[in-house]
Structure formats: C-alpha cells, structure tokens
C-alpha cells in the first residue's frame, strides 16, 4: 500500500516577511490601507454591454515617510499587504541581513537585540515587552529591576526569530530559547547582570532617577486593585479544571501574582507558553520552571527535562500549547500589547476555556462559527454557497492548520473537459435542430443549445508542516462545474477525515492510512505522526454529539435514543433534501418539574439545510415533521459536563444542576419558514398540483392497472411514493425501498410505520400490504432479495448520477433485477426555459449561478445532467432493445403534442420474456427497517 513515505518538501520560507522588514525600518510610521476592487471579466456573450462582476479582490497602498507604493490586486488582504511591502523593499534597495544570517551573525544580532531591550530608549517604547521593564522598576527590593528571561523569550518576536538561526530545535524545545538568551547575555557582562538563582537579567547601571520618575509620572491611572478571572488546569487527571482569581495592582508585577498562584516564589520560576488561540490574543499558559536549573562549566545552560519538573506531565496544557508542560498551569488573558502602555487583561471563564478546546477540531470550529455547539454539526456535504451557513470548509481547514501550527493549506485546482465518451457507448447528444417553425419550437431549440466544451474542475489539497514537510495530500475524484465548489468540497473531505482521526487518534498507522484512503487522502506517516503526536492528549469530550442515523429506527418512533418528544407531531410535511429550514430554538437544563431552568443555547433565527447533516439529527428529525409556525418541545440526552460548560453563561448553576442527578436537557423549537430548493420553486410556480405529486399520481395509476403484488422503489428518499401507496386500493402485498441516505430512510421508516400501524389499529385497512422493507445501498449494485419484483419505479433519480452511472443503472435493473415493469422519470431539459422564465428571483440563490450567462441552467445544483427528449428517448430505446423490453414514452406537466413537451418525461419499460428470474443470491444491501402485518396485527 502506498503511504507516501518518500520525501516531500515545499519551498523553504524566510522567517522574515516583507512586512516584518518594513517594520524593522519604519515601525509604526508605516501605514497600510487596503481597499476592495471589483474585477471586470469578459461576459462571453458578443454584443452584451452589461459588465460582469468577478470575484472580490484587494489592493493595498503602503504609505512611508519618504514615498508610497500600491500593490497589485489579490484575493486576500494579507497578500496585498505583503506585496506592497515587497515593492517598498525593492524601491528602498534593502537587503535584509537576516535573510542569510550565519550562526555567528545571529549570535551578534541576538546580543545587539538584548542590548537594545535594556536601553533607556526601549523603556519608553510601546512594545509587549517594554511594559515588563517598567513593571520591574517597582518590584520589591532584591527583585527590583530584574526581568525574567522567560518574559524576554515569550514577548519579543525578534529574539525568537534570531534564535531559529542558531538552533533548529528551538520550535520543539521552549527551554532552549532561555539558554540562548543567557548565552548571548554573557557577551554583555559589562552592562548586564545574570542571576542564575532568579533566572533573570538586570542592568548593571541603574536607570537615571529622573527617567524613572518621568515614566512613573506618565503611567496611566491604574485601579488600586485589579481582579482577573483565569483558569487553573491541573496536571492530575483526578482534579478538575477550575476558575481562579488573580489579584494585582499598579504596584505589583502581574507575573509575580501568577507565580504566587502557582505556588512558587516569584516570576523567575514561571515559564510562559505561546499565545493560545488567535495570534493577536494575549491568552497564554503560565507554568512552573524546572526545580533544578544550573549553568555548567562550559557556560551552557543545563535544563533537566520532564523528570525535573514539579508534578506530572500536564496533558491538556501540553496539547493546547504544543510544548511539553508539567505541573499545574494557569490559563490567563493578560499582558502588554503594541497598542498601549496599559496592562491589558480580560476575564477568562470556564466557558472560554472549553471553547478554546472546541476550536482545536474541525467540527468544533464549525459549531463555534454558528454559535451553536449543541444544535449544529459539521455538514457532510457542501451543496451550494447560498445554503451553507457558518464558516466555509476552506476557512475551517485554514483555522485548523493555524491552531495546530501547520503551514497554510495549499489548494491547487485544475480545469478540464469531461470525457466525451461513456464507458461502452457514445455520449448522448441532441442531434435535432428543432424541426418546428413555430415560436414554441424556436424556444425549445434555444433551450437545448448547450456549450460543447464545458469545463469542469477538480481540486487537490496539500498540508505541510512548518518545516515544509508534506504530511497530507487529498486528491478527490469528483469534478465540479465551478472552481469554488471543487475547492470547498476538497476542503470538506480533509476536515471530515481529520475530525474522525481526532476522535480516534491512537489508532495504528495502518488504520490511519486506510481510513484516509476512503476520503481520497494520502498521508505521509513519518511527518504526519510527528505533527499530531500531541493530539493523543486531546480530551475526548464528544464534541460531535450527533446520534448515528441508524438509531432513529426504534420500534416506537416516539423516541430517538434518549431524546423524547413531548406530544405528537403530524406527518403532513416531508421537506425534500436541499430545503432550507429556519427555526427559533432554545436549549436549557431543567429539573424534572421545571422549577429551575438554566439557559444553555438558543437562536432567534437558525437556518440549516435538510439532508446535509448540518444540524443535530434529533433536531432535524423533529423539525422535518413540523408545519410552519408549529412548536415542539423534546428532551435531549444530557451532554458531557465539558460540553455544557462550553455553552453555559453561569458555570456554577450548570454544575449544580448536572450534579443534582435530577435535571434534564430540553429543546423548544418553532419552525419559522421553509425555503424549498430552486427545482421545487420552479415547478410550484407553474403546476398545480405540484409536478412531484403529478409524478407520483402517474406511477400510482400504472401500479393500480398492473395488478402487481410487489413493488420496489429505487432511490426512494423519504418515501413519498411508498407513503402515497398506502392511501390507495392496490393489489400490492409487498413493498420495498432502496436509498443511500440513512437520514432519508429514517424519515421514510417513521412515516410508513405510523401509517401502516394506524391502518391496523383503525381496523379499516385500505390496502393489502403484508410486508414493507427499507434497504440502505447503492442502486448501482444488485441484491438478489429484490430480483423478480413485479414493478419497479425510479422517479427523478438518474439525473443525480453521472451519465455513465445512469446507463449502468439501466443495464443492472433490466438484466439483474428484471422487474415485469419499470417506470423511470427524469427532467426534460427543453422545458427549463419555461420553468425559469416563470420563476421569480430569490435573494438566497447562489450569486455564482446568477452571474453565469447561459440560456438555461439545470433545475437542481445536484443534477449531473438533464436530457432532452431525443437524448432520453435514445437512452431508453437502446436500453430496452438490449434487454428484451418494450418501452413507451409519456410524461407529466405540459402537453405531449405541444413544444417543448412534458416537464417530466417518463419511460415505462415492459418485459417481453416472462420466464423465471435467476438470482445469484448476493446480498449487498443492509436492511434498515422491516415491517410485517403478522407481527403488528392486533391480538
């Protein structure tokens, strides 16, 4: 098995970006201004004078004291800023020494940087580290003027950049930076004093008193006492994470306060992590330094590793920081910034802590972007940008890479023409030119005129480590009509697999490789395992609280696992996949008699797409049964304590309720509106009853006339045809449905179960149905249990496949399943011009679709093709001829003798040979639900 063991590295990057070089030269005098520009693209239609808008681009102007420059246009703001800085560098003729520093030069630069940091000039600068120097001037007696080396390492980016040139191990060993700083300070022995005991540095020559007085006089008015909420993360798994309060004031150094909370003497014994979360935040972990630190005879700092720390390895803190941390840690948001000399601080609650953890996994990133940790789920499919809510898959992947200190993902999209030929047959093309001179004929001819060379897109995703080692490559097989869809779907594959991997991070390498392959992902084990080693410490809090679709199918259908619906809902509405539901909901904890309620989460308007997996399965199951303005209340399974705290505003009340053992979690939901897919809107605008109902009624008429005893519906979805059968007197005794969507099958099972049992209990059966089954499987494979059924249906399904799969389906059904009658319906592409001209424009439609200048688009974003009458007739006639079937053509919606024909075209295949069907006894489908009249009859 190929696992990508070969070396793969991306281009090595300089640690200093153009913006960093400009800042070194001009500091805050450099001013960047970014403006949005619209790219005008060719409309591809000669004679059309309306300009077409392209994607939003950004251009940056950089103003320096001497001159200004303007960048080219870029898709991302930061790329425009870097481009402007690069142009300025070229104009200035700057050749930064840091670009090619030798180790010796880096040592000299490091010593020079330390010298500057301890200068009077830096003392008054606005810099994240200068505040520590000013605070050191008011520290108590023997600590006065001493700056912890850990503070210098944590808060000066220039120091860290120079250390990278001296040692490549700096990224993985945070103690090494301290060693390098101390070594550099020894070169400044005439001006700096290093205290081994305090692990701190101090000027040998004190600052002049007038300078100190001036600085203290200009200090802002700080409150006498400041209370800052923080979080203590214990190293012991037996202890719980808890809130703590840091009490500081203008006369205290805040690092000394944190040291006291950690149980050590002063700030010199405290180490500081990288920033946690956003790079611009001041949220960091503070933890104890090793007990035994000494300088050896070779003047090198000898730091003992984990064994010399006080306590055990702190697995959660280690995971959050990407650095090995032992002993308890304090997570706090406090420090000095580039914006002001004031001490910045903000309270950090348990809620914030658990949300930081959630932001480390793709599903958590998505949930947080929707502000719906309990209700939302990471969708399983990217359908259209207009229906997607929350952060896009590409943005989620970029955030994930930043959270795990990986390089930005690389997206590479390619365009190509689809293969002209289908396997074993020629591509179906329309060869008519519309032999009707009437207006209707001309309209139809315009509708079928399609571009011959339509490009499609595929996208690959590469993820590199910070050292530019390739760790993951995703190469999806699917192609898309739009480049953005190819990019977003490729990103969704990667984050979906990463979500699964993080849920079972301790699986063997072979299993990791195998599971990745199922998502078209190739991993490079050596580099991948190295980068995600710390993920084994990630707490398993079940952030993806989705209930498996199969568990919807319980005998009573009133419960979903432990989620109980209060009251009954009608089954009058079954929204189709792609429908956009808008609800208002609130989730809360309550005691059994609801004497006490504690709100957890809610939204006045929360939208989600049916069938995309974007919401909690139990919530979708309930909403799918509701009518507009109807409300429901149901009990949900209690989440883990950590999930509840991630949404709780009052953690104390939530913990009290959870520990009481008598509380429930309830959800109240009201359906506000339903936006059906464009295909349904188009049909409803022109047909009454709706076209979908007309298709079902057409099938029911043929079923009734056929005197069939058994029926199978291929691509049954939510069971609309099977449900309709139950209201008619037919000769059917056995019905079955097949689909690949477990969610749709779950809805079908609930409806059929309720209707079938309802007929028995009423003792007024309207049909002869003795058994009903639902199968989970692909209709492109044969299952012997469905061979030889009297009648088979496939309504509006084949257009959701690739054309070659539609041809394969036809061959499999007629050669292996061999029904006496097969009814197939599919959209008539020629009718689209009428449907789309009669449909009002909706705000939520995809802007990319609006911008495309084409005569007619497909009725649904998921349609892989739509055939004209001639194409459909060619397919059906050739199929019938190959398998000894006769075929008749009809349709619904429209008139047969009037252009452009029926809106939905239908072919009815009838078997000529009545000999018994020979089944090969292969069973590829899974039985999802089964009903028998004998097992459900009243005693």
């Amino acid at each position: 098995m190929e696992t990508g063991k070969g070396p793969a590295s991306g281009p090595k990057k300089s640690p200093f970006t153009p913006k960093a070089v400009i800042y070194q030269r001009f500091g805050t005098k450099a001013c960047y201004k970014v403006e949005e520009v619209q790219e005008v693209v060719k409309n591809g239609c000669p004679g059309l004078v309306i300009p077409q808008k392209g994607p939003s681009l950004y251009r940056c102007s950089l103003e320096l004291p001497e001159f200004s420059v303007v960048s080219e246009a870029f898709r991302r703001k930061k790329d425009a800023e870097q481009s402007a800085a690069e142009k300025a560098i070229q104009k200035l003729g700057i050749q930064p020494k840091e670009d090619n520093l030798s180790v010796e030069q880096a040592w000299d630069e490091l010593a020079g940087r330390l010298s500057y940091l301890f200068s009077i000039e830096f003392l008054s600068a606005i810099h994240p580290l200068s505040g520590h120097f000013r605070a050191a001037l008011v520290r108590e007696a023997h600590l006065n003027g001493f700056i912890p080396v850990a503070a210098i390492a944590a808060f000066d980016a220039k120091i860290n950049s120079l250390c990278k040139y001296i040692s490549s191990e700096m990224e993985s060993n945070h103690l090494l930076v301290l060693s390098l700083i101390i070594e550099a300070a020894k070169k400044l022995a005439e001006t700096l004093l290093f205290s081994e005991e305090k692990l701190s540095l101090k000027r040998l020559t004190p600052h002049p008193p007038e300078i100190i007085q001036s600085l203290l006089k200009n200090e802002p008015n700080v409150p006498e006492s400041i209370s800052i909420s923080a979080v203590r993360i214990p190293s012991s798994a037996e202890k719980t994470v808890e809130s703590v309060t840091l009490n500081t004031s203008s006369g205290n150094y805040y690092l000394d306060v944190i040291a006291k909370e950690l149980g050590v003497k002063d700030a010199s014994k405290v180490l500081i992590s990288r920033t946690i979360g956003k790079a611009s935040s001041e949220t960091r972990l503070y933890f104890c330094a090793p007990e035994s630190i000494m300088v050896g005879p070779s003047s090198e700092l000898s730091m003992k590793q984990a064994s010399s720390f006080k306590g055990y390895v702190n697995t959660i803190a280690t995971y959050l920081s990407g650095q090995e941390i032992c002993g308890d840690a304090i997570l706090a948001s406090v420090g000095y910034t580039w914006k002001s000399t004031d001490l910045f601080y903000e309270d950090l609650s348990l809620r914030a802590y658990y949300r930081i953890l959630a932001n480390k996994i793709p599903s958590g990133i998505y949930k947080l972007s929707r502000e719906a940790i309990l209700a939302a789920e990471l969708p399983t499919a990217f359908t259209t940008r207009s229906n997607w809510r929350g952060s896009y898959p590409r943005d989620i992947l970029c955030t994930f890479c930043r959270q795990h200190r990986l390089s930005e993902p690389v997206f590479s999209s390619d365009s190509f023409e689809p293969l002209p030929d289908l396997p074993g047959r020629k591509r179906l093309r329309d060869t008519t030119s519309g032999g009707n001179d009437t207006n209707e004929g001309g309209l139809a001819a315009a509708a079928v005129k399609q571009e011959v060379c339509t490009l499609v897109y595929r996208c690959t995703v590469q993820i590199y480590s910070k050292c530019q080692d390739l760790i993951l490559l995703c190469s999806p097989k699917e192609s898309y009509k739009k480049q953005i869809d190819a990019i977003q779907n490729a990103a969704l594959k990667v984050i979906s697999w990463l979500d699964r991997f993080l849920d079972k991070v301790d699986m063997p390498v072979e299993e990791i490789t195998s599971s990745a392959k199922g998502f078209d992902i190739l991993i490079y084990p050596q580099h991948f395992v190295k980068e995600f080693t710390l993920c084994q410490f990630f707490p398993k809090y079940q952030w993806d609280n989705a209930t498996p679709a199969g568990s919807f199918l319980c005998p009573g259908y009133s419960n979903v696992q432990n989620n109980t619906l209060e009251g009954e809902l009608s089954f009058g509405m079954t929204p189709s996949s792609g429908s956009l539901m808008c609800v208002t909901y609130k989730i809360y904890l309550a005691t059994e008699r609801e004497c006490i309620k504690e709100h957890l989460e809610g939204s006045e308007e929360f939208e989600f797409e049916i069938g995309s997996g974007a919401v909690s399965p139990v919530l979708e199951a309930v909403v799918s049964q509701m009518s507009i303005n109807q409300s429901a209340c149901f009990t949900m399974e209690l989440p883990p304590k950590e999930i509840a705290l991630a949404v709780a505003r009052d953690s104390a009340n939530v913990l009290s309720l959870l520990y009481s053992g008598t509380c429930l979690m309830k959800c109240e939901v009201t359906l506000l509106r339903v936006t059906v897919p464009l295909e349904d809107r188009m049909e409803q605008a022109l047909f009454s009853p709706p076209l979908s109902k007309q298709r079902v009624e057409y099938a029911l008429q043929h079923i009734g006339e056929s005197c069939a005893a058994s029926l199978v519906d291929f691509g049954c979805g939510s069971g609309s045809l099977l449900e309709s059968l139950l209201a008619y007197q037919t000769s059917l005794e056995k019905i079955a449905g097949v689909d690949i969507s477990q969610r749709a099958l779950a809805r079908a099972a609930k409806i059929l179960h309720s209707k079938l049992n309802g007929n028995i209990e009423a003792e007024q059966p309207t049909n002869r149905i003795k058994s009903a089954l639902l199968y989970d499987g692909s209709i492109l494979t044969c299952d012997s249990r469905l061979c030889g059924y009297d009648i088979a249906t496939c309504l509006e399904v084949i257009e959701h496949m690739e054309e070659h799969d539609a041809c394969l389906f036809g061959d499999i059904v007629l050669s292996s399943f061999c029904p006496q009658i097969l009814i197939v319906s599919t959209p008539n592409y020629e009718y689209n011009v009428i449907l789309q001209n009669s449909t009002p424009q909706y705000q939520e439609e995809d802007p990319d679709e609006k911008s495309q200048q084409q005569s007619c688009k497909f009725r649904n974003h998921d349609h892989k093709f739509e055939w004209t009458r001639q194409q459909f007739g060619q397919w059906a006639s050739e199929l019938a001829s190959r398998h000894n079937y006769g075929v008749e053509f009809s349709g619904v919606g429209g008139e047969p003798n009037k252009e452009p024909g029926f809106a939905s075209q239908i072919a009815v295949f009838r078997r000529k040979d009545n000999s018994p069907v020979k089944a090969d006894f292969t069973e590829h489908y899974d039985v999802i639900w089964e009903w028998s009249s004998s097992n459900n009859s009243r005693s």
Side-chain angles (χ1 to χ4, degrees):
M1 181 188 302
E2 183 184 6
T3 56
K5 292 181 180 178
S9 297
K12 299 294 181 180
K13 297 182 180 178
S14 167
F16 294 97
T17 63
K19 280 187 70 176
V21 174
I22 289 296
Y23 183 81
Q24 290 172 358
R25 177 74 175 265
F26 296 99
T28 56
K29 295 178 182 178
C31 179
Y32 295 86
K33 294 182 179 178
V34 180
E35 61 177 355
E36 185 175 351
V37 294
Q38 283 288 347
E39 181 183 26
V40 178
V41 297
K42 294 181 180 180
N43 53 51
C45 182
L48 185 63
V49 297
I50 303 174
Q52 302 300 299
K53 289 185 177 181
S56 295
L57 301 174
Y58 299 94
R59 184 177 290 121
C60 176
S61 62
L62 170 57
E63 297 178 5
L64 300 174
E66 303 169 17
F67 59 85
S68 62
V69 293
V70 179
S71 74
E72 303 297 333
F74 292 87
R75 287 182 181 272
R76 298 191 299 176
K77 294 179 182 179
K78 66 179 184 180
D79 291 341
E81 291 175 342
Q82 294 291 359
S83 174
E86 192 169 1
K87 283 193 170 188
I89 290 171
Q90 293 173 356
K91 196 166 183 178
L92 289 165
I94 297 177
Q95 297 293 332
K97 292 185 295 181
E98 291 82 1
D99 283 350
N100 295 290
L101 286 180
S102 65
V103 174
E104 292 75 13
Q105 289 173 326
W107 275 115
D108 291 339
E109 289 285 329
L110 185 57
R113 181 63 179 175
L114 281 175
S115 180
Y116 169 69
L117 293 178
F118 282 86
S119 67
I120 295 175
E121 177 187 357
F122 181 73
L123 193 61
S124 58
I126 299 179
H127 186 281
L129 187 56
S130 62
H132 291 262
F133 280 85
R134 292 189 293 272
L137 298 177
V138 295
R139 295 181 78 185
E140 296 178 356
H142 66 285
L143 298 174
N144 187 269
F146 274 106
I147 302 295
V149 176
I152 298 174
F155 299 109
D156 188 63
K158 174 78 171 180
I159 290 282
N160 281 272
S161 296
L162 292 169
C163 288
K164 290 177 185 178
Y165 286 103
I166 299 172
S167 174
S168 59
E169 298 178 8
M170 195 208 76
E171 284 286 340
S172 58
N173 185 358
H174 55 287
L175 296 178
L176 184 58
V177 184
L178 308 186
S179 174
L180 298 178
I181 293 173
I182 293 170
E183 283 297 301
K186 293 183 181 301
K187 297 183 179 183
L188 304 171
E190 295 181 357
T191 57
L192 296 182
L193 170 65
F194 168 61
S195 170
E196 181 180 342
E197 179 188 358
K198 299 181 177 64
L199 197 59
S200 302
L201 292 171
K202 178 180 181 179
R203 276 173 59 105
L204 283 175
T205 306
H207 289 294
E210 60 272 18
I211 296 293
I212 297 175
Q213 290 298 325
S214 174
L215 287 172
L216 295 178
K217 185 177 180 180
N218 292 329
E219 280 288 303
N221 293 324
V222 180
E224 285 290 328
S225 178
I226 302 172
S227 295
I228 306 169
S229 294
V231 172
R232 175 187 289 275
I233 305 173
S235 60
S236 172
E238 298 176 358
K239 297 181 180 179
T240 59
V241 176
E242 61 182 1
S243 293
V244 295
T245 302
L246 306 175
N247 295 309
T248 185
S249 66
S250 57
N252 289 336
Y253 183 28
Y254 80 87
L255 284 180
D256 287 331
V257 175
I258 292 176
K260 185 178 179 181
E261 184 65 38
L262 286 169
V264 293
K265 290 192 299 184
D266 55 64
S268 66
K269 302 300 182 183
V270 175
L271 297 181
I272 307 163
S273 78
R274 309 177 179 108
T275 55
I276 306 297
K278 293 182 179 179
S280 58
S281 76
E282 286 303 317
T283 304
R284 297 174 185 265
L285 283 162
Y286 300 85
F287 51 101
C288 296
E291 289 181 350
S292 195
I293 300 176
M294 60 183 179
V295 179
S298 62
S299 299
E300 293 182 356
L301 186 67
S302 174
M303 300 267 187
K304 293 188 179 179
Q305 296 303 312
S307 60
S308 66
F309 279 84
K310 185 179 182 179
Y312 302 101
V313 174
N314 192 322
T315 56
I316 297 179
T318 296
Y319 174 73
L320 283 175
S321 66
Q323 303 164 310
E324 188 174 70
I325 294 176
C326 291
D328 290 359
I330 300 293
L331 182 68
S333 184
V334 58
Y336 298 97
T337 68
W338 289 96
K339 298 179 181 180
S340 170
T341 58
D342 297 357
L343 178 67
F344 167 85
Y345 62 91
E346 60 182 358
D347 290 335
L348 200 145
S349 62
L350 287 175
R351 180 176 185 266
Y353 162 73
Y354 286 110
R355 291 167 86 88
I356 288 172
L357 280 178
N359 206 41
K360 298 282 282 187
I361 60 173
S363 57
I365 296 170
Y366 177 77
K367 288 167 176 281
L368 290 172
S369 74
R370 298 223 61 192
E371 284 296 325
I373 287 178
L374 297 174
E377 297 292 339
L378 178 65
T380 56
F382 181 88
T383 53
T384 64
R385 287 201 295 167
S386 59
N387 276 11
W388 186 275
R389 297 296 183 268
S391 294
Y392 288 114
R394 175 177 179 166
D395 298 331
I396 295 172
L397 182 57
C398 290
T399 300
F400 176 86
C401 289
R402 287 192 290 269
Q403 289 288 333
H404 290 265
R405 296 175 181 85
L406 303 172
S407 295
E408 290 285 308
V410 179
F411 296 89
S412 305
S413 55
D414 298 315
S415 60
F416 59 94
E417 294 180 25
L419 294 175
D421 295 325
L422 300 176
R425 59 184 288 112
K426 293 183 178 179
R427 187 177 184 83
L428 299 169
R429 296 179 181 273
D430 188 275
T431 56
T432 65
S433 57
N436 190 329
D437 294 333
T438 63
N439 290 338
E440 289 84 353
L443 195 63
V448 300
K449 188 176 181 180
Q450 304 180 53
E451 292 185 21
V452 177
C453 297
T454 303
L455 295 178
V456 293
Y457 295 88
R458 282 198 185 110
C459 177
T460 60
V461 184
Q462 295 170 301
I463 298 181
Y464 292 86
S465 68
K466 282 294 185 184
C467 298
Q468 296 303 304
D469 295 318
L470 183 59
I471 63 175
L472 181 151
L473 171 65
C474 179
S475 304
K477 301 180 182 69
E478 298 84 1
S479 58
Y480 299 87
K481 290 184 290 183
K482 292 186 291 184
Q483 184 181 30
I484 188 64
D485 287 348
I487 292 172
Q488 299 293 359
N489 276 282
L492 183 58
K493 275 202 168 190
V494 176
I495 60 178
S496 297
W497 179 76
L498 286 170
D499 226 38
R500 293 194 181 190
F501 164 72
L502 290 171
D503 188 52
K504 193 180 178 184
V505 71
D506 55 350
M507 68 177 87
V509 173
E510 294 77 12
E511 190 176 342
I512 295 174
T513 310
S514 176
S515 67
K517 189 176 180 181
F519 287 78
D520 299 326
I521 292 173
L522 174 67
I523 66 164
Y524 294 78
Q526 181 180 357
H527 303 307
F528 183 87
V529 173
K530 176 183 175 183
E531 292 299 323
F532 288 96
T533 297
L534 292 177
C535 290
Q536 63 183 301
F537 299 138
F538 181 71
K540 299 295 189 295
Y541 293 147
Q542 300 174 359
W543 294 104
D544 53 339
N545 52 37
T547 303
S551 64
F552 277 76
L553 308 177
C554 49
Y557 296 99
S558 59
N559 295 340
V560 181
Q561 270 201 349
N562 297 329
N563 306 284
T564 306
L565 182 68
E566 297 178 5
E568 294 294 328
L569 291 174
S570 65
F571 292 97
M573 186 194 97
T574 303
S576 58
S577 292
S579 295
L580 199 62
M581 318 293 281
C582 182
V583 302
T584 178
Y585 80 94
K586 60 179 179 180
I587 299 174
Y588 56 90
L589 292 177
T591 53
E592 291 183 355
R593 296 184 179 181
E594 297 199 9
C595 301
I596 303 175
K597 286 186 179 182
E598 183 64 34
H599 177 80
L600 294 178
E601 179 181 289
S603 173
E604 290 299 318
E605 286 200 359
F606 182 77
E607 291 184 316
F608 63 91
E609 182 181 358
I610 288 288
S612 68
V615 74
S616 168
V618 62
L619 181 58
E620 179 173 322
V622 171
V623 173
S624 296
Q625 303 171 36
M626 295 169 64
S627 303
I628 293 177
N629 294 325
Q630 187 178 10
S631 298
C633 179
F634 55 95
T635 301
M636 302 175 70
E637 185 177 3
L638 280 173
K641 175 192 70 176
E642 294 80 9
I643 303 292
L645 290 174
V647 295
R649 297 290 179 179
D650 190 327
S651 58
N653 285 351
V654 166
L655 287 173
S656 175
L657 282 169
L658 290 174
Y659 290 147
S660 70
T662 60
C663 77
L664 305 169
M665 187 167 76
K666 293 194 173 185
C667 177
E668 295 177 4
V669 60
T670 301
L671 180 59
L672 301 179
R673 60 179 179 271
V674 180
T675 305
V676 298
L678 179 61
E679 179 182 16
D680 295 347
R681 293 203 299 266
M682 290 190 297
E683 294 180 354
Q684 291 172 8
L686 203 59
F687 300 104
S688 181
L691 205 54
S692 57
K693 188 172 183 181
Q694 291 188 40
R695 285 190 292 266
V696 170
E697 289 176 347
Y698 179 94
L700 290 173
Q701 179 184 345
H702 278 71
I703 292 167
E705 294 172 355
S706 69
C707 298
S710 57
L711 174 143
V712 57
D713 186 17
F714 292 110
C716 65
S718 298
S720 57
L721 173 62
L722 299 177
E723 178 192 3
S724 300
L725 283 171
L726 304 183
Y728 284 78
Q729 284 282 4
T730 68
S731 57
L732 291 173
E733 297 180 355
K734 183 177 184 179
I735 59 174
V738 184
D739 206 279
I740 58 173
S741 170
Q742 288 194 355
R743 291 177 185 271
L745 290 169
R747 292 196 294 270
K750 292 179 184 180
I751 295 170
L752 294 176
H753 185 92
S754 175
K755 293 288 180 72
L756 287 166
N757 283 349
N759 288 340
I760 291 176
E761 291 174 2
E763 296 184 346
Q764 296 177 347
T766 57
N767 54 63
R768 304 177 183 177
I769 302 296
K770 295 180 180 179
S771 71
L773 294 102
L774 293 177
Y775 294 95
D776 174 22
S778 168
I779 61 176
L780 297 178
T781 57
C782 180
D783 190 300
S784 59
R785 290 170 291 184
L786 296 178
C787 293
Y789 270 55
D790 293 333
I791 190 165
T793 55
C794 184
L795 306 183
E796 307 295 292
V797 175
I798 62 172
E799 63 273 8
H800 294 272
M801 312 174 186
E802 298 293 344
E803 279 188 285
H804 63 272
D805 285 335
C807 295
L808 177 61
F809 164 72
D811 287 329
I812 289 174
V813 172
L814 298 189
S815 67
S816 299
F817 288 106
C818 303
Q820 291 296 325
I821 298 174
L822 170 66
I823 303 174
V824 178
S825 76
T826 191
N828 173 13
Y829 180 77
E830 298 168 81
Y831 212 95
N832 288 4
V833 66
I834 296 177
L835 287 173
Q836 291 166 17
N837 287 341
S838 67
T839 306
Q841 294 298 312
Y842 286 78
Q843 183 178 359
E844 71 275 3
E845 290 177 19
D846 194 332
D848 284 352
E849 293 286 354
K850 292 181 182 179
S851 66
Q852 293 179 2
Q853 296 298 314
Q854 58 184 41
S855 56
C856 283
K857 56 190 175 186
F858 291 165
R859 299 184 195 179
N860 188 295
H861 69 273
D862 192 47
H863 287 185
K864 302 300 187 294
F865 67 88
E866 288 181 3
W867 282 335
T868 64
R869 288 169 289 173
Q870 189 273 341
Q871 291 172 312
F872 181 59
Q874 179 187 345
W875 171 79
S877 298
E878 293 180 1
L879 180 64
S881 177
R882 285 198 302 275
H883 300 289
N884 198 23
Y885 274 76
V887 62
E888 303 166 0
F889 295 96
S890 186
V892 294
E895 301 177 26
N897 299 320
K898 184 177 179 181
E899 291 294 333
F902 291 110
S904 271
Q905 48 193 343
I906 299 176
V908 180
F909 300 83
R910 297 183 188 274
R911 190 175 169 210
K912 296 179 180 179
D913 180 8
N914 292 324
S915 59
V917 177
K918 296 180 180 180
D920 59 1
F921 300 103
T922 56
E923 298 182 357
H924 295 292
Y925 299 163
D926 294 325
V927 176
I928 290 295
W929 172 79
E930 184 174 4
W931 181 91
S932 171
S933 60
S934 60
N935 293 335
N936 289 275
S937 59
R938 296 184 64 179
S939 56

